[in-house]
Amino acid sequence: MLRPQDTATRERKCMNGLWSFRLDPAGEGRTQGWWRSRLDEAREMPVPASYNDIVPELAVRDHVGDAWYQTTVRVPQRWAGERIVLRFDAATHRAVVWVDDVQVAEHEGGYTPFEADVTDHVQPGTEARVTVVVNNELTWESIPPGVVEDTPLGRRQNYFHDFFNYAGLHRAVWLYTTPKAHVCGIAVETGLDGGTGTVRYAVEHAGAAVVRVVLRDAAGAEVADGEGSEGLLTVPDVHPWAPGDGYLYELEAQLHDADGGLVDSYVLPVGVRTVEVRGTEFLINGEPFYFRGFGKHEDAPVRGKGHDDALMVHDFELMEWIGANSFRTSHYPYAEEVLDYADRHGIVVIDETAAVGMNVRFTMHGASGATSTYTEDTIGSATQRNHLQAIRELVARDRNHPSVVLWCVANEPDGSVPEARDYFAPLFAEFRKLDPTRPVGLVNMLADLPDKDLVTELADVVMTNRYYGWYMQTGDLAAAEVALEAELRAWVEKHHKPILVTEYGADTYAGLHSIVDMPWSEEYQVALLAMYHRVFDRIDAVVGEHIWNFADFATRPGVMRVGGNKKGVFTRERSPKSAAFAVRDRWRAAR
Ligand code: GCB
């Protein structure tokens, strides 16, 4: 799905700002038709933001069920005759949308965009009322899963992942135009042959038109063109997109009428690069690449998971400061602004679905009472259907980003029971069918050791989260070092694939100090990370280190969490802990 754009033929209006908002704990709004008039008893709520921390009330923070948002938008008079589209960059975890009295959209999944053609439901020059009901319930069918429990004190949301279940309109809302005949999708695949680049393109369009494409370099000079909805462009003396060098071409897809007049124009940034797994190497443009960076979260005080450009740029600047070259969108697809930034700055991205917490045997973050992960009463065919749909929407949204080099099917599912293979094999196949150009992986968890795990065989790379020295061998880094090295060597032995250590780290309370190895102290985090780095440096097949986490983040309350998860190298407010300086020394030296 293409992002809204202002071009020669298109215009957009951002609907961010303060909307009317009302929680619906009794679930009455849908039967009472709250979209039909102004929301009663509404308070003001910023969009984009999670609503949970805006209001200092537990009933808002821990609300389970529907939350209603409403605004009005004036449709510009000059849009008469255009196709008008209403787009939500994200509504977590599902939403229904009305324009005035008419339902125009319904969407499942909290981290991918959806839109509706509202041309027939709005009148240019007048105001339209837009109402959205956002629902935050996690069930066995949703991605991620959870269980809503009815208790004498009300409904409670249980879930099995280690970050707060923020909800609301987390990303921008747009009203935008396209011409009636318009470009609806573009897919590019790039290649390199010596100094020559290739861009294979496919343009989907609605309405009769002639398709032309023009490829321009970063200075705006035309370097190739083509006609027809599919084709192959060659770029002599190509400037490849590469880690640390976010060089982008621009592919303009044009639709023309029979007289040659321009009907629609859409401009897609294109980075020409290749990705390949060969033996135990991960190659970008044929060169071995080593991932240095973090698992992150979209998480901040007050706004929760609401996208914010200031925070985004600050986080990228901190990653540059520390010498990171990559990150994983743990544990869900991030805002498209983030991937655009990564494209422009040559930051490498592992792009993950929202499938996290799919393991009933692992109860640290919440027990469900179930004993088998993959059954029709737990993670079953309905979950798998939603997971497949999440994969389709992720590939459709992100396939053109050069920064994205690896798809991640899920984080830490139950991977050592035979049913896991049946559940995951079709998901790997779907990624590969939709995008044969990128490797696909799945992040495994600490119970799924090389002799037990049954799903890594499906993957192109080994992705592993390990907490030796933290959850095991707590405080004993010497023992942890031995165990970590033995395990990593066992992965090499078993699969002979590149290994990405996608998480390792220690909770650290900023300001707590200790001379001896003492978990939670800043010194222990430094020492633990240094221990992992020594081991990585001894094993050639390790092609990446992603520290857990970039910054401290919110979780639900728990005896293992002190005001959230504190494994950040930066605090939640983005102050550096001692580890930030130590990691910076290592990563900057490696550049
Ligand atoms: C993990 C999870 C991550 C948690 C982390 C932790 O393995 O993937 O979501 O936050 O461990 O800190 O326990």
Side-chain angles (χ1 to χ4, degrees):
M1 187 186 289
L2 297 174
R3 290 190 72 192
Q5 258 185 14
D6 293 310
T7 72
T9 58
R10 296 170 173 235
E11 196 177 344
R12 60 191 177 151
K13 183 166 180 165
C14 184
M15 291 170 60
N16 293 354
L18 297 181
W19 291 42
S20 298
F21 176 83
R22 182 176 172 186
L23 292 181
D24 183 8
E28 307 165 327
R30 296 187 199 226
T31 43
Q32 293 178 2
W34 285 5
W35 63 89
R36 290 206 183 89
S37 55
R38 264 176 54 177
L39 268 187
D40 281 341
E41 300 168 34
R43 47 164 46 110
E44 293 189 58
M45 187 57 68
V47 174
S50 304
Y51 57 75
N52 309 75
D53 290 346
I54 302 289
V55 183
E57 283 173 27
L58 197 63
V60 177
R61 183 168 165 89
D62 286 347
H63 170 72
V64 182
D66 287 346
W68 292 77
Y69 286 80
Q70 193 177 69
T71 193
T72 54
V73 59
R74 182 165 290 277
V75 183
Q77 177 74 53
R78 61 180 180 281
W79 286 9
E82 299 295 314
R83 174 174 168 267
I84 301 173
V85 183
L86 177 61
R87 186 206 217 240
F88 291 81
D89 284 358
T92 311
H93 295 282
R94 62 190 60 79
V96 181
V97 182
W98 293 263
V99 168
D100 294 328
D101 288 352
V102 181
Q103 181 182 322
V104 296
E106 185 166 6
H107 183 257
E108 172 71 27
Y111 303 97
T112 42
F114 59 98
E115 61 182 29
D117 181 337
V118 297
T119 317
D120 294 340
H121 310 300
V122 297
Q123 191 62 47
T126 68
E127 277 193 345
R129 185 177 66 248
V130 175
T131 311
V132 191
V133 60
V134 179
N135 177 277
N136 68 349
E137 291 169 44
L138 299 177
T139 69
W140 285 118
E141 297 186 7
S142 61
I143 302 290
V147 173
V148 177
E149 288 156 359
D150 282 310
T151 79
L153 296 174
R155 303 175 79 219
R156 298 284 189 272
Q157 175 74 63
N158 186 13
Y159 49 93
F160 324 116
H161 54 266
D162 185 32
F163 54 95
F164 191 78
N165 185 34
Y166 281 116
L169 295 178
H170 284 157
R171 298 175 189 159
V173 183
W174 305 93
L175 196 64
Y176 74 94
T177 68
T178 75
K180 290 274 155 56
H182 60 276
V183 175
C184 11
I186 308 176
V188 295
E189 288 179 10
T190 63
L192 289 168
D193 184 7
T196 304
T198 55
V199 179
R200 185 174 293 286
Y201 71 88
V203 176
E204 265 180 70
H205 66 282
V210 175
V211 179
R212 288 204 190 114
V213 297
V214 181
L215 191 73
R216 299 187 187 90
D217 67 16
E222 199 172 309
V223 295
D225 64 355
E227 194 159 318
S229 55
E230 286 180 27
L232 182 71
L233 308 178
T234 50
V235 190
D237 295 324
V238 68
H239 185 148
W241 185 97
D245 182 10
Y247 190 91
L248 295 174
Y249 292 84
E250 243 183 37
L251 182 83
E252 185 185 351
Q254 303 172 343
L255 299 186
H256 292 267
D257 60 23
D259 306 326
L262 182 69
V263 177
D264 192 17
S265 153
Y266 191 91
V267 179
L268 182 78
V270 173
V272 182
R273 59 111 185 88
T274 62
V275 181
E276 190 190 338
V277 168
R278 195 189 300 150
T280 57
E281 289 184 320
F282 194 100
L283 308 175
I284 298 182
N285 301 339
E287 300 283 325
F289 178 69
Y290 191 93
F291 296 74
R292 289 183 190 85
F294 300 96
K296 289 190 87 241
H297 265 298
E298 292 188 313
D299 176 88
V302 185
R303 60 174 49 83
K305 293 202 174 306
H307 174 76
D308 173 47
D309 280 343
L311 186 74
M312 174 187 77
V313 175
H314 187 52
D315 278 6
F316 274 113
E317 291 287 353
L318 289 175
M319 282 196 278
E320 164 66 21
W321 173 86
I322 205 168
N325 60 14
S326 56
F327 66 96
R328 174 169 62 118
T329 71
S330 41
H331 294 306
Y332 35 81
Y334 288 4
E336 287 168 89
E337 289 86 339
V338 176
L339 297 180
D340 285 345
Y341 189 103
D343 289 345
R344 290 193 300 273
H345 295 265
I347 317 281
V348 172
V349 178
I350 301 173
D351 206 356
E352 182 161 289
T353 73
V356 54
M358 300 172 118
N359 190 342
V360 305
R361 298 188 303 150
F362 178 73
T363 55
M364 195 175 98
H365 305 308
S368 66
T371 50
S372 302
T373 303
Y374 305 99
T375 70
E376 280 305 291
D377 297 327
T378 50
I379 307 288
S381 49
T383 326
Q384 197 189 40
R385 269 197 302 281
N386 281 331
H387 202 159
L388 278 166
Q389 181 60 19
I391 288 170
R392 290 182 195 116
E393 292 184 23
L394 182 64
V395 176
R397 193 193 76 160
D398 291 350
R399 63 177 309 145
N400 295 321
H401 288 286
S403 56
V404 175
V405 300
L406 175 60
W407 300 115
C408 180
V409 178
N411 181 72
E412 298 194 338
D414 187 350
S416 47
V417 292
E419 307 85 65
R421 273 194 74 100
D422 304 335
Y423 181 87
F424 282 105
L427 305 180
F428 276 90
E430 188 71 11
F431 260 127
R432 293 199 172 101
K433 182 184 91 189
L434 296 171
D435 178 16
T437 73
R438 287 179 178 87
V440 188
L442 174 148
V443 169
N444 69 29
M445 58 104 52
L446 50 83
D448 294 335
L449 295 166
D451 58 334
K452 297 211 179 65
D453 158 83
L454 297 171
V455 288
T456 299
E457 207 176 43
L458 299 167
D460 298 305
V461 292
V462 177
M463 296 165 87
T464 186
N465 295 345
R466 287 301 177 265
Y467 288 96
Y468 294 109
W470 186 253
Y471 294 123
M472 298 109 79
Q473 295 94 19
T474 314
D476 185 350
L477 292 178
E481 184 160 354
V482 173
L484 173 67
E485 181 156 3
E487 190 197 330
L488 293 179
R489 292 199 185 280
W491 285 111
V492 184
E493 184 80 7
K494 184 169 177 200
H495 291 292
H496 201 69
K497 289 176 182 173
I499 300 175
L500 271 156
V501 182
T502 34
E503 291 183 21
Y504 60 105
D507 281 275
T508 304
Y509 200 82
L512 186 71
H513 295 285
S514 174
I515 287 170
V516 296
D517 282 348
M518 181 68 74
W520 290 94
S521 67
E522 296 201 29
E523 290 72 19
Y524 190 72
Q525 186 182 34
V526 172
L528 180 141
L529 297 177
M531 179 277 279
Y532 275 76
H533 296 154
R534 279 196 301 277
V535 175
F536 300 162
D537 292 345
R538 293 198 287 264
I539 301 179
D540 289 343
V542 172
V543 299
E545 50 193 60
H546 275 178
I547 295 170
W548 191 255
N549 188 286
F550 171 74
D552 295 345
F553 57 90
T555 63
R556 64 176 174 177
V559 292
M560 314 256 292
R561 298 289 174 254
V562 184
N565 186 307
K566 293 279 186 277
K567 294 194 185 68
V569 160
F570 297 94
T571 65
R572 200 178 190 211
E573 294 71 28
R574 275 55 176 172
S575 303
K577 300 180 189 171
S578 301
F581 300 95
V583 170
R584 182 173 193 255
D585 286 345
R586 172 177 170 83
W587 288 353
R588 293 219 139 212
R591 274 189 167 176

